[in-house]
Amino acid sequence: MTARQHLLLYEPRTEGHHLGWLRFITEDLLAAGWPLTLAVDLRPEQAPTVREQLAEFLPEIKLINAYDATGRRHGDRKLGSVAHCLRESGAANVFLCEFDEVASDCWRYATFGVFPPAGLRGRMGGIYYRPRFVRAPGWSPDRWLKQPGFSRMIREGWLRQLLLADESLVQELQARFPGAPIFFLADPCPTGYDGAAGPARQALGLPEGKKIFLFYGGSYRRKGLHLAVSAMEALPESSPAFLLCAGRQNPTGEIARGLERLTRQGRACLINRYIPEAEEKNLFAASDTVLLPYLNHFGSSGVFSLAMAAGKPVVVSDEQLLGRLTREQGLGLLFPSGNSLALTECIRQTTVLTPNEISGYAAAARQYAQRHSREAYRRALWQSLDAAKP
């Protein structure tokens, strides 16, 4: 096996998909022989969760804290933090598990000739989930600020690799910047999520005879929990639809009151905490449908990938990449973004799917999961890193 240079993985966040994807990347790069240091959140309140997620790799990797003694990221909290961690690690290069952490600052400042710390030139890369500005329609101040800087950093060799989750966007950028280190990397669909519904429901204490709609992840308004709650409340109490909310939701105001009403009626359940992997698998196995009522969402979604891994249909806001994938590949139902009444109708339709329709959605999800398997993810990740210039 070819010797690989010491690599720093930079992932300072712990919510949502961040630690799960960090685990995938760590596993895959160790398998290919990359010596790794990880810059992660080792503050007292987060360190136990981080170490639990990475426990199987700890003999082989080194961890450093992405935060300083005051609990803030080093330096300027953005590019300065990345540069600081790279120096501390002694690694040859740094890979940002979510390049979005620094992307906006990179592009905006570079437009005016202000670049990242010199030590990062040609030594940084990562996965860029939301390059929204590239396809912003018409003129906008954000696009005006970012486009020239992005082009300049690509052409001047600042990036070792940039991986995007939208294959058509990769093709577009490769045509604009021939030879640029831009690669396709779809979110992986892991194994073990397509278990039997009955045992999973028993393990979670969920009711039998219901059509369970899973809302999973963070509580950000852009994720649309308020839409899911409103849509469920608009259904008659006799509906078999049951809303299962899981993750660190911490709902407040009318959302919390709506969930409480649904729970009292036996129509909802809230698991308001961090969800370990084994329980996460049960959540998806127990569910009939996965809700993704995102607002103005750009790019991929870890929850979408897990739904595909579980073979479950999705109900998705009809916009951007997720809407296009759902429509083109027959993965579920679509509704106009932000329209809770249309979401109610999608939920109602999903509760009366025929066995043949359910089987069709499951087959389409399995095909998607096969194309975007962990093995495919691993190969694409290795190829992008191996293609970087020494």
Side-chain angles (χ1 to χ4, degrees), residues 8 19 22 73 85 116 132 155 166-167 192 197 243-244 274 284 348:
L8 171 69
L19 286 180
L22 174 61
R73 295 191 202 176
C85 291
R132 189 185 302 272
R155 292 192 172 106
D166 185 335
E167 193 165 14
L243 180 61
L244 172 59
Y274 167 76
F284 282 86
R348 187 199 66 76

Side-chain angles (χ1 to χ4, degrees), residues 26-245:
T26 301
E27 178 182 21
D28 292 347
L29 296 186
L30 286 175
W34 266 278
L36 298 179
T37 294
L38 277 58
V40 291
D41 188 348
L42 295 180
R43 292 175 295 179
E45 63 274 22
Q46 296 296 341
T49 299
V50 173
R51 292 185 184 279
E52 176 187 347
Q53 286 282 333
L54 300 172
E56 63 186 294
F57 311 122
L58 288 179
E60 298 180 70
I61 62 175
K62 176 184 176 184
L63 302 182
I64 62 174
N65 201 344
Y67 294 82
D68 63 21
T70 69
R72 298 167 64 89
R73 295 191 202 176
H74 301 282
D76 62 6
R77 305 182 66 189
K78 295 283 187 175
L79 290 159
S81 173
V82 176
H84 172 94
C85 291
L86 182 58
R87 289 193 301 271
E88 181 182 344
S89 71
N93 303 294
V94 56
F95 186 90
L96 282 76
C97 297
E98 188 151 340
F99 198 86
D100 305 69
E101 292 284 328
V102 302
S104 292
D105 280 0
C106 279
W107 318 145
R108 288 174 182 147
Y109 288 137
T111 292
F112 300 103
V114 179
F115 294 100
L120 294 177
R121 185 166 189 161
R123 300 175 65 192
M124 66 175 177
I127 306 172
Y128 191 15
Y129 288 98
R130 291 176 294 279
R132 189 185 302 272
F133 74 95
V134 178
R135 283 186 168 163
W139 184 90
S140 73
D142 186 64
R143 187 174 190 178
W144 181 85
L145 278 172
K146 291 179 179 178
Q147 284 279 12
F150 174 75
S151 299
R152 191 168 180 182
M153 288 193 68
I154 290 290
R155 292 192 172 106
E156 295 185 13
W158 277 90
L159 303 176
R160 288 182 64 78
Q161 64 282 120
L162 201 62
L163 297 94
L164 311 181
D166 185 335
E167 193 165 14
S168 67
L169 184 55
V170 169
Q171 294 168 351
E172 177 184 324
L173 291 174
Q174 287 174 340
R176 283 176 54 190
F177 305 103
I182 298 173
F183 304 89
F184 172 61
L185 182 75
D187 282 347
C189 298
T191 59
Y193 282 76
D194 56 350
R201 290 188 179 192
Q202 290 177 3
L204 295 167
L206 297 173
E208 296 295 332
K210 294 286 190 177
K211 298 291 186 180
I212 295 183
F213 291 79
L214 174 62
F215 182 95
Y216 184 58
S219 60
Y220 316 107
R221 184 171 179 81
R222 62 183 172 83
K223 297 292 188 180
L225 177 58
H226 63 293
L227 293 171
V229 172
S230 178
M232 288 292 296
E233 288 208 283
L235 290 166
E237 288 191 37
S238 59
S239 169
F242 183 95
L243 180 61
L244 172 59
C245 296

